[in-house]
């Protein structure tokens, strides 16, 4: 290596650089190719539609870093700075490689006499910012050690026990890159005095300062520092490049494609299974995941945001979404060769072994999920969990008949009485006895079908909400009718539990009933019914305009069709249901309804709207028994009580049951009432 004017581009440098580049890029390309083959061997998934919308998502979530900026701080802001820092610095990285061949190479548009000058100033400032961000990250990894990074016990024991050397190595690499860049430029500014270098020096305020510090050394020593810095910088980048596909930092390459190929169908629509064509039911082997599900595994940053919001993790159950994904990913990598040898294996010869059950993903892990979607909402790279979990449940239920015994009654009820309460279908409209509630069969011209749902029909507490809704509709003069005994369960519970066959049978039966009539819109007071009728029935040819009661009633208030003269003084906190909120982005309507009520003061919980915690009833948990010390609703009720409420308002019959139960367990059910927003309106009408 020469220490003169044109180092590092002496005679040896280009040759050595070429050899190293060929070896490093060759190895990197080979690893990427193997990863690509795994994607190719996975199941099909149509994710190439609506490119405009996909690109918009990339701009928002990848380049705009939306989830980071709206999530936990200061970690989110730190990632934003590191991401954009790297975007700025990547131009510099390419320049440094090229300067191994031509010391005065500048990327097009970045000549120091032009935009390259301000770019160098920006680059220097960004590098200082990245150094600060890395120091904060090192503090978190070495000293503060938050559970989000180190694992939530007991579901993430494996993470908690890891040394996390990888994260530390990568942070040190990043630090090394910044420091060597300053040293390389600083050395150049001491030794080189041609006009272009002088121009660069003028703009590079931090590197010039480093140069000043170095100038006290002799020229030979400065030359060693400059050239060593350049080589170390180059070697770190190439080592980093080859570590990427073998580490969590693979997301640097896969996160943008993962965002591009995100699910564009409604979040609440689980994947369609063609029962007539499929030979296997659900997912039990690696090869049965779709290529997008494998891409999810590649893209996890291991940040732990998903686990930090998961109600199963928080209540001490064996599920932590991050751990689930990492277990799948580790299995995928460790069996890469076998999986590629026999990518379409169904035969269980060891190459594509069953992963659901005792081998890898335990049944308990899968049954712990409430399908609340908090993990997906929190994930900065838009990884999808609920479909994967339900796909594996489909295998357990349909191929193995393995599910918690408590679900037997719900299945039987849905199969024989079309409701998971297992109450005789002949009682479906007994809530309306003695009331004049129009039936669609008698009023085929009704504009609105009020679909009451199983909870509103069979559960005593929910029936009160049904009656309140009917009073409101009558008062507002709405042309509505109910199906009465003709109403059937829509099958939502069966689908979330994984019994796709039962769900499809129920969906077809209900669609047949609905299609006999010509109502214009469906009203429902249950977010689960709302989501399935609106988002899932189109998969089976059932296309309906579905409106949730709270939204509809809000419209009635705004239009002056109902007046609310009654006063209900007190603090009201609103608990968002997952299927109304996160799945369908309906956050404002119920709050607006509460604000319309005289005397009611809305108090938000710390975790509300998209960040709201699940009540614990979704995904089949309404029908399963949670151990007393691991109840999600107890945690949620504690969060509600922090606001000092007189009323916990809900807009879901499941949430109603769970919140009431939680208040009872805390001995607070006398002081704090649980009311549906529809009931609040009905009371305020008096
Ligand atoms: S959907 Fe909810 S319960 Fe299931 S893994 Fe995600 S956060 Fe946990
Ligand atoms: S799945 Fe998403 S939120 Fe969870 S650890 Fe991975 S990147 Fe973070």
């Amino acid at each position: 290596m020469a220490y003169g004017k044109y180092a590092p581009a002496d005679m040896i440098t280009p040759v050595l650089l070429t050899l190293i580049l060929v070896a490093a890029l060759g190895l990197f390309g080979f690893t990427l190719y193997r990863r690509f083959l795994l994607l190719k061997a996975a199941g099909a998934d149509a994710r190439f539609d609506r490119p405009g919308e996909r690109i918009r998502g990339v701009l928002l979530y990848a380049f705009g870093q939306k989830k980071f900026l709206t999530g936990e701080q200061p970690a989110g802001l730190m990632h934003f700075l590191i991401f954009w820092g790297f975007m700025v610095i990547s131009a510099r990285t390419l320049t440094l490689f090229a300067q191994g061949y031509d010391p005065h190479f500048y990327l097009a548009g970045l000549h120091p006499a032009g935009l390259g000058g301000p770019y160098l100033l920006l680059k220097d400032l960004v590098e200082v910012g990245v150094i600060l961000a890395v120091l904060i990250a090192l503090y978190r990894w070495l000293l503060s050690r938050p559970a989000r990074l180190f694992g939530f016990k007991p579901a993430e024991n494996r993470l908690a026990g890891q040394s996390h050397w990888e994260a530390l190595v990568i942070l040190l690499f990043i630090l090394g890159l910044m420091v060597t860049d300053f040293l390389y430029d600083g050395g150049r500014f001491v030794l080189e005095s041609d006009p272009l270098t002088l121009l660069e020096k003028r703009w590079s305020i931090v590197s010039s300062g480093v140069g000043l510090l170095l100038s006290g050394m002799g020229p030979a020593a400065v030359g060693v520092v400059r050239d060593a810095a350049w080589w170390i910088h180059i070697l770190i980048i190439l080592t980093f490049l080859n570590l990427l596909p073998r580490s969590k930092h693979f997301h640097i390459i896969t996160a943008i494609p993962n965002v591009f190929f995100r699910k564009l169908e409604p979040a609440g629509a689980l994947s369609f299974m063609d029962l007539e064509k499929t030979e296997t039911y659900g997912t039990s082997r690696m090869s049965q995941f779709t290529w997008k599900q494998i891409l999810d595994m590649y893209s996890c940053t291991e940040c732990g945001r998903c686990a930090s919001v998961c109600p199963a993790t928080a209540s001490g159950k064996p599920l932590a979404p991050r751990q689930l994904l990492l277990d799948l990913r580790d299995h995928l990598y460790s069996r890469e060769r076998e999986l590629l040898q026999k990518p379409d294996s169904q035969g269980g010869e060891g190459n594509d072994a069953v992963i659901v059950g005792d081998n890898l993903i335990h049944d308990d892990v899968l049954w712990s999920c409430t399908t609340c979607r908090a993990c997906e909402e929190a994930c900065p790279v838009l990884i999808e969990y609920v479909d994967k979990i339900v796909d594996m449940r489909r295998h357990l239920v349909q191929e193995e008949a393995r599910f918690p015994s408590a679900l037997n009654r719900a299945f039987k009820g849905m199969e024989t009485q079309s409701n998971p309460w297992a109450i005789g279908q002949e009682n479906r409209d007994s809530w309306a006895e003695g009331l004049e509630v129009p039936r669609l069969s008698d009023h085929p011209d009704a504009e609105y079908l009020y679909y009451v749902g199983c909870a509103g029909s069979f559960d005593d507490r929910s029936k009160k909400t049904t009656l309140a809704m009917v009073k409101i509709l009558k008062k507002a003069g709405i042309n509505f009718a109910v199906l009465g005994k003709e109403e059937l369960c829509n099958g939502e519970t069966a689908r979330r539990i994984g019994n796709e066959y039962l769900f499809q049978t129920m969906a077809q039966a209900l669609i047949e009933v609905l299609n006999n009539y010509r109502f214009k819109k469906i009203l429902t007071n249950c977010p689960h019914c709302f989501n399935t009728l609106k988002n899932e029935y189109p998969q089976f040819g059932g296309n309906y305009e579905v409106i949730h009661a709270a939204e509809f009633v809000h419209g009635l208030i705004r239009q002056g069709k109902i007046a609310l003269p009654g006063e209900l003084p007190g603090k009201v906190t609103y608990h968002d249901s997952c299927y109304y909120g996160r799945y369908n982005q309906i956050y404002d309507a119920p709050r607006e309804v509460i604000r319309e009520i005289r005397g009611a003061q809305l108090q938000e919980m710390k975790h509300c709207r998209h960040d709201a915690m699940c009540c614990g009833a979704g995904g089949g948990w309404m029908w399963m028994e949670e151990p007393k010390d691991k109840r999600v609703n107890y945690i949620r009720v504690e969060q509600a009580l922090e606001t000092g409420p007189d009323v916990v308002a809900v807009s879901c019959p499941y949430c109603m049951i769970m919140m009431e139960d939680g208040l009872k367990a805390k001995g607070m059910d006398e002081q704090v009432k649980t009311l549906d927003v529809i009931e609040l309106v009905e009371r305020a009408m008096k």
Side-chain angles (χ1 to χ4, degrees):
M1 175 71 66
Y3 301 138
K5 189 176 173 187
Y6 293 108
D10 55 15
M11 294 292 285
I12 303 166
T13 302
V15 177
L16 204 53
L17 179 62
T18 305
L19 289 175
I20 293 172
L21 267 178
V22 168
L25 292 179
L27 183 60
F28 176 65
F30 176 74
T31 317
L32 272 195
Y33 178 64
R34 302 280 293 180
R35 298 278 186 266
F36 172 72
L37 288 182
L38 284 174
L39 287 179
K40 210 163 149 251
D45 199 350
R47 299 277 182 135
F48 290 89
D49 58 334
R50 296 184 258 171
E53 204 174 325
R54 293 189 179 284
I55 289 169
R56 268 199 300 282
V58 168
L59 295 177
L60 192 66
Y61 294 107
F63 293 103
Q65 300 267 288
K66 185 179 171 199
K67 297 271 182 178
F68 285 107
L69 291 179
T70 54
E72 178 199 324
Q73 301 303 341
L77 191 63
M78 229 169 63
H79 193 277
F80 178 86
L81 289 176
I82 290 182
F83 174 83
W84 274 103
F86 266 89
M87 295 303 279
V88 171
I89 293 164
S90 57
R92 166 69 170 180
T93 303
L94 290 176
T95 307
L96 282 184
F97 272 97
Q99 285 185 351
Y101 298 97
D102 170 3
H104 280 141
F105 172 88
Y106 300 106
L107 284 180
L110 290 184
H111 193 279
L115 277 180
Y119 168 76
L120 286 172
L121 173 62
L122 177 67
K123 186 263 311 172
D124 266 22
L125 295 177
V126 164
E127 287 187 348
V128 171
V130 171
I131 289 176
L132 290 176
V134 168
L135 292 177
I136 294 172
L138 281 173
Y139 169 79
R140 282 162 64 79
W141 280 102
L142 293 171
L143 297 172
S144 75
R145 300 167 72 90
R148 185 163 73 70
L149 298 179
F150 282 83
F152 296 89
K153 288 186 176 186
E156 293 194 309
N157 269 336
R158 200 203 62 163
L159 270 178
Q162 272 185 356
S163 63
H164 293 279
W165 63 268
E166 182 197 314
L168 291 175
V169 167
I170 299 289
L171 284 173
L172 292 175
F173 273 9
I174 295 172
L175 193 62
L177 286 175
M178 303 302 113
V179 171
T180 51
D181 192 41
F182 284 138
L183 287 173
Y184 170 61
D185 265 354
R188 284 173 57 230
F189 296 155
V190 173
L191 297 176
E192 299 166 26
S193 52
D194 54 280
L196 281 176
T197 308
L198 288 178
L199 250 183
E200 284 186 53
K201 186 176 170 183
R202 201 173 303 153
W203 285 100
S204 308
I205 54 171
V206 182
S207 306
S208 305
V210 173
L212 266 180
L213 292 176
L214 292 177
S215 58
M217 302 160 69
V222 176
V224 170
V225 169
R226 175 198 60 186
D227 296 344
W230 184 83
W231 273 113
I232 292 170
H233 193 94
I234 295 294
L235 290 174
I236 289 180
I237 286 176
L238 294 177
T239 311
F240 189 36
L241 194 68
N242 277 288
L243 272 184
L244 288 186
R246 295 161 205 279
S247 72
K248 67 175 184 171
H249 287 84
F250 199 19
H251 78 266
I252 292 174
I253 296 168
T254 59
I256 290 177
N258 205 54
V259 170
F260 181 83
F261 291 118
R262 73 196 182 282
K263 182 174 179 172
L264 292 185
E265 287 75 45
L270 288 174
S271 65
F272 172 70
M273 259 183 93
D274 190 338
L275 294 171
E276 304 213 327
K277 290 194 186 139
T278 188
E279 287 171 7
T280 51
Y281 297 91
T283 298
S284 64
R285 297 169 195 274
M286 230 49 224
S287 64
Q288 290 165 342
F289 284 109
T290 68
W291 63 264
K292 174 60 178 63
Q293 290 175 327
I294 302 286
L295 189 61
D296 276 352
M297 295 172 205
Y298 291 171
S299 305
C300 179
T301 69
E302 298 186 25
C303 69
R305 284 175 172 82
C306 52
S308 72
V309 294
C310 174
T313 312
S315 56
K317 301 203 182 63
L319 165 68
R322 165 175 58 182
Q323 187 67 66
L324 169 72
L325 198 79
L326 296 187
D327 284 345
L328 290 170
R329 188 191 70 186
D330 291 352
H331 178 85
L332 179 75
Y333 288 175
S334 69
R335 301 188 69 85
E336 180 189 86
R337 190 190 301 180
E338 293 91 329
L339 288 165
L340 288 178
Q341 270 168 7
K342 202 172 178 190
D344 60 348
S345 168
Q346 307 291 332
E349 289 172 28
N351 288 350
D352 189 15
V354 171
I355 47 156
V356 175
D358 290 344
N359 300 345
L360 186 67
I361 308 295
H362 289 250
D363 294 13
D364 282 357
V365 170
L366 299 174
W367 291 119
S368 296
C369 179
T370 67
T371 69
C372 72
R373 220 185 146 261
C375 48
E376 297 187 2
E377 185 75 33
C379 179
V381 291
L382 311 190
I383 283 169
E384 295 153 20
Y385 275 102
V386 179
D387 274 291
K388 285 186 200 75
I389 290 173
V390 173
D391 284 348
M392 289 186 270
R393 283 182 174 189
R394 285 174 176 172
H395 162 78
L396 287 178
V397 173
Q398 298 180 131
E399 293 207 331
E400 306 280 334
R402 241 168 51 212
F403 48 82
S405 58
L407 291 174
N408 271 318
R409 185 176 150 87
F411 280 149
K412 193 136 204 275
M414 285 186 280
E415 280 163 15
T416 59
Q417 304 298 336
S418 193
N419 72 84
W421 268 263
I423 297 173
Q425 169 69 2
E426 69 278 6
N427 298 312
R428 184 170 277 273
D429 60 352
S430 57
W431 61 269
E433 257 165 41
L435 303 170
E436 284 180 17
V437 183
R439 304 294 196 274
L440 206 51
S441 50
D442 302 327
H443 296 267
D445 292 327
E447 188 181 354
Y448 292 94
L449 162 65
Y450 176 29
Y451 178 84
V452 181
C454 299
S457 301
F458 296 107
D459 174 63
D460 286 341
R461 178 63 188 87
S462 305
K463 281 188 211 171
K464 291 183 185 163
T465 312
T466 307
L467 293 175
M469 182 67 186
V470 167
K471 275 190 199 160
I472 294 170
L473 294 175
K474 284 189 170 182
K475 182 85 181 172
I478 301 300
N479 180 13
F480 80 101
V482 298
L483 281 164
K485 287 189 179 29
E486 273 194 286
E487 187 180 284
L488 298 171
C489 173
N490 57 65
E492 190 263 357
T493 297
R495 192 171 225 200
R496 262 78 209 155
I497 292 173
N499 196 337
E500 183 69 7
Y501 177 80
L502 177 58
F503 164 69
Q504 292 199 13
T505 311
M506 296 173 82
Q508 275 148 13
L510 179 57
I511 287 171
E512 210 170 292
V513 172
L514 296 175
N515 288 353
N516 281 333
Y517 294 105
R518 51 177 186 274
F519 58 83
K520 293 206 178 83
K521 294 166 190 173
I522 298 179
L523 283 175
T524 172
N525 195 42
C526 170
H528 298 264
C529 302
F530 171 84
N531 180 65
T532 290
L533 294 172
K534 181 177 170 21
N535 297 322
E536 300 196 303
Y537 272 31
Q539 292 175 351
F540 308 94
N543 294 292
Y544 311 105
E545 187 177 337
V546 191
I547 311 171
H548 188 278
E551 271 202 306
F552 186 72
V553 168
H554 181 228
L556 295 181
I557 299 169
R558 303 285 303 263
Q559 293 156 28
K561 290 190 175 168
I562 48 172
L564 306 180
E567 200 165 336
L568 300 176
K571 287 187 193 168
V572 180
T573 192
Y574 176 69
H575 161 76
D576 291 90
S577 95
C578 306
Y579 279 82
Y580 203 18
R582 266 188 298 274
Y583 276 103
N584 288 287
Q585 285 74 52
I586 301 172
Y587 298 112
D588 293 330
R591 290 177 165 80
E592 291 300 324
V593 170
I594 294 166
R595 284 195 190 100
E596 296 284 352
I597 294 168
R598 294 170 63 198
Q601 305 153 40
L602 182 64
Q603 302 279 324
E604 293 290 4
M605 285 183 240
K606 188 171 161 227
H607 296 283
C608 61
R609 300 177 76 93
H610 72 274
D611 183 35
M613 187 182 189
C614 175
C615 72
W621 272 98
M622 184 71 203
W623 319 104
M624 295 187 260
E625 190 65 19
E626 278 182 279
K628 278 221 160 63
D629 59 334
K630 292 192 173 116
R631 290 201 174 164
V632 174
N633 62 334
Y634 289 7
I635 304 175
R636 185 56 174 162
V637 158
E638 276 165 19
Q639 294 175 357
L641 288 175
E642 281 169 14
T643 67
D646 298 296
V647 172
V648 175
V650 297
S651 57
C652 167
Y654 288 3
C655 298
M656 166 76 78
I657 293 166
M658 299 307 270
M659 297 307 276
E660 234 174 33
D661 175 75
L663 284 169
K664 236 177 244 156
K666 301 266 164 215
M668 292 296 288
D669 53 321
E670 287 299 323
Q671 298 97 308
V672 183
K673 295 289 161 219
T674 310
L675 291 170
D676 195 290
V677 291
I678 297 302
E679 292 180 302
L680 282 172
V681 170
E682 192 257 337
R683 288 177 185 208
M685 272 166 42
K686 290 171 189 161

